[in-house]
């Protein structure tokens, strides 16, 4: 399971970085979203991958670490707000600069 | 229990939230509330500075004992940073209430949230909480940067937002790695765990540490991650740019905190993780910022490069790492934050007086009203930021240069700092002579000079002579601060020995 998980994270990050380097606002925002998925999954895995272990005391003989789950929750909320802001900004840049290039320059490059 | 340490976070939070609710009430009400709340930060910070002079204060939020709960730690460094922020923010809000806050909505609420994020980043003793406060200050700064938009602001803002989003992802990876390997996020506890880490885990923790350097370097605009800064700062409105003068220092503060506490001399194989990197990075930043300053075409852009330059000098000082160099760096940090904030405000006043056609561009424009006053103020500010005697920049640089230990280091530091000083001197003289002496015959379309705005400028620039006059007691405090930073054992001991408060109020 660890190998599958790790390679999925790698794949997500790779796609995210590739899209980030496209220098158009829409792929960049999608790329950032993919990277933040990868980061959230990574944070989650830092509590170690287990099955059948609830994050609540007294529900089972063994329990998993609840802190990474709390961290992921916080990170998701923050990441969501930031992505929404970036989208609004990208739309405004499209309107004001008449281009979806991140440098606002048009299509020469 | 002493609740003072959390007030610098709670006050702007509640005032900001209240201002959001009062969005429909008159601007004058909002302005006065925002001004009073910001001014209140100064006595609050002074009280904390006094308290930190006695001992390190630890506040366990929600009464959860460390290392399990989140703690706020007020040591000398944090208290000092709070005071710097409070003074800078007061001048900035004083400037803003004369009209710059009216270009868009909710300026003051955003301003308070930004203050909350900055203060929280200085106070927190928890790595993940530092991330949260970084995000708070960033999202407020995104909105403030774009306040009263224009196409240049949107373009600079887009770079700034996207870069920082990527930086946040890196921050989370570093935090996750550290948590996975050590099982804690409390900085004091992390320091203990890193000190006795196994040889197998050390490279991974080192990788997380270097990732953190990239994140903090992005915030503090070090070489080669500073390219977003000049554009963003030059595009922001004057009071926002002045407040942003502290934002690079948040990154520097985090570098100072994390790498002296967690990767200091006790960290075994990871001791002094970044010192060898920080030194060339700092000097490279200084050189490129000096080149950028001499090439900039607006006064705001010039001041923005001066901010980058001060970051470079401070990084070199932190990289030297001895007590004297840290004392000098802290002095230079206070000086550079306040004076560059003042210069941003001054650039705003000059741009208004020259009218929208010329703005702060370094071109011969209309004759300024009361040009003698302007040029005198600009002259004083320029002398101070360049580092000529008798003002505070000079003292900071002399202290830093005299603290260098080895010959090779001295050769690099002397040549880079002194030649960058000369280049900046030339750039500032060129800017001053263009703005004040070369004038076209065309009549000025600008606004008359606003007195309150000049008070805000004066407040920040006056700090430079005051820093010289009160240099002796200040340097005593800073010396004790540097000693405290370099011996993190006291900090760790104080945090980890904190007990929760019982119902009776006794620990």
């Amino acid at each position: 399971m660890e190998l599958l998980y790790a390679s999925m994270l790698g794949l997500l990050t790779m796609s995210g970085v590739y899209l980030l380097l496209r220098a158009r606002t829409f792929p960049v925002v999608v790329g950032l979203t993919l990277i933040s998925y990868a980061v959230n999954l990574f944070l989650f895995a830092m509590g170690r991958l287990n099955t059948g272990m609830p994050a609540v005391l007294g529900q089972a003989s063994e329990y998993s670490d609840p802190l990474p789950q709390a961290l992921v929750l916080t990170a998701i909320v923050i990441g969501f707000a930031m992505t929404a802001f970036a989208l609004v900004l990208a739309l405004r840049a499209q309107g004001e600069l008449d281009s979806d290039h991140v440098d606002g320059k048009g299509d020469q490059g | 229990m002493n609740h003072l340490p959390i007030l610098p976070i709670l006050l702007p939070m509640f005032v900001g939230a209240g201002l959001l609710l009062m969005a429909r009430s008159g601007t004058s009400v909002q302005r006065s509330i925002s001004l009073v709340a910001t001014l209140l930060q100064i006595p609050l910070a002074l009280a904390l500075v006094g308290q930190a002079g006695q001992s390190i204060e630890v506040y366990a939020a929600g009464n959860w004992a460390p290392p399990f709960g989140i703690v706020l730690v007020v040591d000398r460094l944090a208290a000092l940073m709070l005071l710097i922020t409070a003074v800078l923010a007061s001048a900035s809000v004083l400037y803003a209430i004369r009209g710059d806050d009216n270009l868009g909505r909710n300026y003051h609420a955003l301003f308070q949230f930004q203050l909350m994020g900055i203060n929280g980043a200085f106070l927190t003793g928890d790595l993940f909480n530092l991330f949260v406060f970084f995000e708070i200050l960033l999202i407020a700064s995104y909105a403030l940067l774009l306040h009263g938009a224009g196409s240049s602001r949107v373009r600079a803002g887009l770079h700034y937002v996207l870069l920082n989003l990527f930086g946040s992802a890196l921050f989370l990876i570093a935090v996750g790695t550290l948590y996975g390997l050590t099982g804690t996020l409390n900085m004091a506890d992390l320091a203990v765990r890193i000190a006795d880490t196994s040889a197998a885990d050390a490279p991974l923790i080192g990788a997380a540490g270097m990732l953190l350097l990239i994140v903090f370097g992005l915030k503090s605009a070090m070489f080669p991650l500073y390219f977003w800064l000049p554009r963003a700062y030059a595009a922001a409105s004057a009071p926002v740019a002045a407040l942003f003068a502290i934002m690079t220092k948040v990154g520097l503060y985090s570098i100072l905190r994390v790498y002296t506490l967690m990767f200091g001399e006790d960290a075994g194989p990871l001791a002094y993780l970044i010192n060898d990197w920080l030194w060339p990075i700092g000097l490279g930043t200084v050189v490129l910022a000096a080149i950028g300053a001499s090439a900039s075409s607006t006064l705001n852009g010039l001041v923005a490069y001066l901010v980058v330059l001060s970051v470079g000098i401070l990084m070199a000082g932190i990289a030297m790492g001895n007590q004297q160099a840290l004392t000098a760096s802290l002095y230079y940090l206070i000086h550079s934050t306040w004076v560059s904030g003042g210069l941003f405000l001054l650039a705003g006043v000059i741009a208004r007086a020259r009218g929208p056609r010329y703005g702060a561009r370094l071109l011969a424009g209309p004759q300024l009203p009361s040009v003698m006053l302007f040029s005198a103020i600009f002259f004083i500010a320029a002398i101070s930021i360049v580092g000529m005697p008798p003002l505070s920049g000079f003292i900071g640089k002399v202290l830093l240069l005299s603290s260098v230990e080895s010959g090779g280091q001295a050769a690099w530091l002397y040549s880079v700092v002194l030649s960058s000083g000369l280049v900046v001197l030339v750039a500032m003289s060129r800017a001053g002579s263009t703005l004040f002496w070369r004038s076209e015959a065309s009549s000025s379309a600008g606004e008359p000079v606003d007195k309150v705005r000049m008070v805000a400028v004066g407040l920040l620039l006056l700090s430079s002579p005051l820093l010289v006059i009160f240099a002796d007691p200040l340097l005593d405090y800073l010396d004790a601060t540097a000693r405290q930073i370099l011996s993190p054992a006291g900090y760790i001991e104080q945090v980890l020995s904190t007990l929760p408060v019982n119902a009776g109020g006794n620990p």
Side-chain angles (χ1 to χ4, degrees):
Chain A
M1 184 164 68
E2 275 81 1
L3 183 67
L4 183 66
Y5 200 91
S7 42
M8 271 316 294
L9 289 189
L11 196 65
L12 273 175
T13 316
M14 202 174 69
S15 322
V17 169
Y18 174 76
L19 286 174
L20 203 60
L21 295 173
R22 299 283 288 169
R24 300 270 162 194
T25 46
F26 183 70
V28 164
V29 171
V30 176
L32 279 171
T33 318
L34 286 184
I35 289 179
S36 73
Y37 286 159
V39 168
N40 290 338
L41 289 171
F42 176 76
L43 271 183
F44 185 74
M46 281 302 120
R48 305 296 183 267
L49 297 172
N50 301 307
T51 46
M53 283 163 63
V56 184
L57 279 177
Q59 296 295 307
S61 57
E62 285 187 279
Y63 57 92
S64 60
D65 190 350
L67 193 70
Q69 307 187 9
L71 298 186
V72 169
L73 210 58
T74 318
I76 289 174
V77 172
I78 291 176
F80 227 69
M82 293 294 179
T83 311
F85 187 84
L87 268 177
V88 172
L89 188 59
L91 280 175
R92 207 164 120 184
Q94 165 87 337
E96 288 211 20
L97 307 171
D98 219 18
S99 156
D100 68 341
H101 196 271
V102 284
D103 289 335
K105 268 189 192 138
D107 282 317
Q108 69 267 40
Chain B
M1 191 167 184
N2 179 1
H3 289 286
L4 202 57
I6 203 169
L7 283 184
I9 302 174
L10 289 186
L11 178 74
M13 184 173 99
F14 282 113
V15 171
L19 284 171
L20 274 184
L21 293 177
M22 294 166 38
R24 284 170 188 280
S25 67
T27 31
S28 61
V29 184
Q30 289 196 30
R31 282 173 178 171
S32 38
I33 291 177
S34 180
L35 184 62
V36 168
T38 314
L39 286 176
L40 263 179
Q41 296 273 354
I42 296 182
L44 213 54
L46 280 175
L48 284 172
V49 166
Q51 222 172 59
Q54 311 295 318
S55 68
I56 297 176
E57 186 83 25
V58 181
Y59 183 88
N63 204 16
W64 288 87
F68 307 110
I70 290 170
V71 287
L72 305 178
V73 186
V74 190
D75 65 345
R76 283 169 176 267
L77 177 63
L80 178 74
M81 299 304 292
L82 285 181
L83 184 63
I84 300 175
T85 313
V87 172
L88 186 72
S90 302
S92 166
V93 83
L94 193 65
Y95 183 102
I97 56 171
R98 299 300 292 183
D100 287 271
D101 55 350
N102 244 346
L103 300 170
R105 282 155 56 197
N106 293 329
Y107 178 91
H108 290 293
L110 290 167
F111 191 93
Q112 295 295 329
F113 288 136
Q114 166 110 49
L115 270 185
M116 172 195 168
I118 294 174
N119 286 346
F122 290 144
L123 284 172
T124 185
D126 184 281
L127 205 56
F128 192 78
N129 202 226
L130 183 68
F131 163 77
V132 173
F133 279 119
F134 264 21
E135 295 304 307
I136 295 175
L137 79 87
L138 281 175
I139 201 157
S141 76
Y142 300 156
L144 276 179
L145 176 63
L146 293 162
H147 200 262
S151 55
S152 71
R153 271 180 208 174
V154 173
R155 193 177 305 156
L158 201 59
H159 288 177
Y160 179 63
V161 172
L162 295 176
L163 271 175
N164 276 307
L165 278 176
F166 187 65
S168 308
L170 290 183
F171 199 164
L172 280 175
I173 294 176
V175 166
T177 313
L178 282 176
Y179 181 77
L181 293 170
T182 62
T184 182
L185 287 169
N186 182 294
M187 290 198 229
D189 201 27
L190 268 173
V192 176
R193 303 284 177 97
I194 289 176
D196 48 46
T197 181
S198 68
D201 285 347
L204 277 174
I205 293 184
M210 295 309 283
L211 267 182
L212 282 179
L213 177 66
I214 296 178
V215 176
F216 299 148
L218 186 65
K219 306 279 187 283
S220 63
M222 73 183 189
F223 167 76
L225 303 168
Y226 71 88
F227 297 101
W228 57 270
L229 185 139
R231 244 176 160 178
Y233 281 32
S237 68
V240 174
L243 184 68
F244 280 11
I246 193 76
M247 296 254 290
T248 53
K249 271 55 175 194
V250 178
L252 274 172
Y253 163 85
S254 314
I255 288 179
L256 201 51
R257 172 70 80 216
V258 165
Y259 294 103
T260 54
L261 185 64
M262 284 156 52
F263 299 100
E265 61 178 338
D266 300 329
L270 297 169
Y272 304 116
L273 180 66
I274 59 158
N275 284 38
D276 293 341
W277 290 85
L278 213 51
W279 175 252
I281 287 174
L283 294 184
T285 313
V286 173
V287 170
L288 286 171
I291 295 173
S294 53
S296 44
S297 59
T298 63
L299 188 54
N300 311 7
L302 176 55
V303 183
Y305 273 109
L306 294 180
V307 171
V308 180
L309 192 135
S310 72
V311 168
I313 289 183
L314 289 170
M315 283 191 165
I318 295 174
M320 280 196 273
N322 60 42
Q323 188 178 331
Q324 232 188 334
L326 276 187
T327 312
S329 305
L330 290 173
Y331 186 88
Y332 195 76
L333 189 150
I334 306 176
H335 147 81
S336 67
T337 310
W338 284 348
V339 174
S340 50
L343 270 169
F344 273 125
L345 293 184
L346 183 65
V349 177
I350 290 176
R352 279 177 180 272
R354 277 159 66 97
R357 192 169 150 227
Y358 294 97
R361 286 195 292 162
L362 297 176
L363 297 169
Q367 180 77 38
L368 283 167
S370 52
V371 68
M372 280 310 288
L373 175 72
F374 270 129
S375 46
I377 294 176
F378 183 81
F379 180 67
I380 293 169
I383 280 187
S384 178
I385 198 88
V386 171
M388 305 259 283
L391 291 175
S392 53
F394 175 69
I395 296 190
K397 279 190 179 173
V398 166
L399 284 173
L400 192 69
L401 291 179
S402 62
S403 68
V404 70
E405 273 168 353
S406 73
Q409 261 189 340
W412 279 106
L413 190 73
Y414 273 67
S415 54
V416 167
V417 168
L418 293 179
S419 54
S420 76
L422 179 68
V423 173
V424 172
L425 178 67
V426 171
M428 289 301 272
S429 343
R430 190 190 55 136
S433 55
T434 312
L435 285 174
F436 304 118
W437 290 348
R438 286 170 53 197
S439 57
E440 281 181 345
S442 68
S443 63
S444 170
E447 308 167 16
V449 179
D450 186 295
K451 290 225 172 55
V452 178
R453 287 202 180 106
M454 290 311 282
V455 170
V457 174
L459 185 72
L460 283 179
L461 292 183
L462 198 65
S463 68
S464 187
L466 287 180
L467 281 175
V468 175
I469 295 169
F470 296 106
D472 196 31
L474 181 65
L475 283 174
D476 282 346
Y477 183 88
L478 295 181
D479 197 46
T481 312
R483 206 177 317 128
Q484 201 177 52
I485 296 171
L486 287 176
S487 51
Y491 179 100
I492 296 168
E493 156 82 32
Q494 193 74 26
V495 170
L496 293 183
S497 65
T498 305
L499 296 169
V501 181
N502 291 326
N506 301 313

